Amino acid sequence: RKSCEMAEVVVVGSAVMDLIAYMSDLPRLGETVIGSDFQKGFGGKGANQAVQAARLGARVSMVANVGRDAFGDETLANFHASGIEAGCVTRSAALPTGVALINVDAAGRNTIAVVPAANFELTPRHVADADTTLSGAKVVVCQLEVPIETTVAALRAGRAHGATTLFNPAPARTDLPAELYGLCDVMAPNETEAELLTGIAGDPAAAADVLIKRGARAVAVTLGEAGCLLVTADGRRQHFAVDRVQAVDTSGAGDSLIGSLAFFLARGLPLDQALPRAASVATVSVQARGTQRSFPVRQDLPASLFE
């Protein structure tokens, strides 16, 4: 078993290197466009969510798999610099660290292609090896950029240890095992993911109802600039608005919200208080370029969010 330290938030998921190109317009099929800027950054939905939770002040442990390459070295250094416990991060001898190729246009819209690579070698065995760390978690966070059986194992472990299980079904896929829904204390898709999971377009509340019927205890649908919607198994429906801002780059905004939500839930806030606060943090993140580099730290945010 890995010697991972105890943490209040444990993220089981992906770590990739983001390669980000900025341009006036996104290329159409077969088109080459000239970019105006390039940045390399740290990404992967799991790592992003871990970094945002840590920046707000959570004690965070990451369970992930990277390559034995320069990107892997840099990823581990970034975890340490971010204050994230990385004793449960393993390294693949066969596959490189994952990468994400991101194009961003002048309006902040993006297209993303992810090559998971070493992330696909994160297995249920890694989850079992991290059981001591998972046993002390208040919140366990998962996504869909690692093998689905690993995500199920992590949610199962979180539930068994009495943690709040927070599942972000991204990138969306339609073949989720039936068991997975029932392991989710909070399922948090965006509007597109909710539609893909349920086949219901244009009605996020109805889509959330379907996910509740499948077993999720609560569903938080993120709606971009329209805020977010909370639907719970006991019949509550609440919409939370967010401040209108000029978006510069929406890359990672969903991950900022999930990581923030994990922080506020770990600090004991009920979901209907944690979710709007998390959405407020994510609104700050879209006002700067990059993914993790755009995530705010606690000192940059209104003190009222933490009262």
Side-chain angles (χ1 to χ4, degrees):
R1 290 176 185 265
K2 295 287 286 184
S3 58
C4 318
E5 295 176 15
M6 304 304 278
E8 57 190 333
V9 174
V10 178
V11 180
V12 180
S14 56
V16 308
M17 190 64 77
D18 287 345
L19 306 174
I20 311 165
Y22 294 91
M23 59 210 65
S24 56
D25 296 296
L26 297 173
R28 292 170 295 178
L29 189 65
E31 181 185 16
T32 298
V33 301
I34 302 298
S36 58
D37 194 14
F38 170 78
Q39 291 181 0
K40 184 174 73 171
F42 298 100
K45 292 183 184 300
N48 290 345
Q49 293 165 15
V51 166
Q52 181 63 90
R55 288 198 179 168
L56 298 184
R59 288 178 292 108
V60 181
S61 183
M62 185 79 200
V63 181
N65 192 48
V66 299
R68 293 182 185 172
D69 51 21
F71 285 170
D73 293 341
E74 293 175 54
T75 296
L76 284 169
N78 181 58
F79 286 147
H80 294 308
S82 300
I84 294 168
E85 202 283 311
C88 288
V89 178
T90 52
R91 305 194 72 166
S92 170
L95 294 174
T97 301
V99 295
L101 308 175
I102 304 173
N103 292 332
V104 182
D105 73 6
R109 297 172 299 185
N110 63 61
T111 62
I112 306 175
V114 178
V115 183
N119 291 291
F120 273 3
E121 279 192 349
L122 190 72
T123 68
R125 179 181 57 79
H126 293 94
V127 175
D129 286 346
D131 190 67
T132 300
T133 293
L134 286 161
S135 71
K138 294 179 180 176
V139 181
V140 173
V141 187
C142 297
Q143 326 74 31
L144 289 173
E145 287 184 335
V146 299
I148 189 70
E149 59 269 21
T150 306
T151 296
V152 170
L155 292 171
R156 214 182 271 144
R159 177 61 60 80
H161 290 304
T164 296
T165 53
L166 172 54
F167 174 53
N168 174 217
R173 48 191 285 179
T174 56
D175 60 341
L176 296 183
E179 178 195 5
L180 188 151
Y181 294 92
L183 294 171
C184 298
D185 290 315
V186 185
M187 192 171 192
N190 65 24
E191 195 168 3
T192 302
E193 290 151 4
E195 177 183 334
L196 285 167
L197 286 167
T198 64
I200 297 172
D203 190 346
D209 286 338
V210 170
L211 300 176
I212 293 285
K213 286 189 178 72
R214 291 178 186 171
R217 292 181 178 174
V219 176
V221 185
T222 58
L223 306 170
E225 63 184 17
C228 48
L229 173 72
L230 174 62
V231 177
T232 61
D234 60 9
R236 279 187 299 151
R237 291 190 186 201
Q238 294 171 273
H239 176 263
F240 302 102
V242 292
D243 293 336
R244 287 296 179 100
V245 298
Q246 180 61 51
V248 173
D249 183 357
T250 58
S251 307
D255 295 332
S256 174
L257 187 144
I258 299 292
S260 301
L261 183 56
F263 165 79
F264 288 117
L265 290 173
R267 292 300 159 96
L269 266 67
L271 190 51
D272 60 357
Q273 293 181 35
L275 182 59
R277 294 179 193 219
S280 294
V281 177
T283 299
V284 174
S285 79
V286 304
Q287 299 175 66
R289 278 188 169 187
T291 307
Q292 291 179 21
R293 73 181 71 216
S294 73
F295 292 174
V297 295
R298 181 168 180 155
Q299 295 89 320
D300 294 337
L301 294 162
S304 59
L305 284 178
F306 302 93
E307 292 171 354

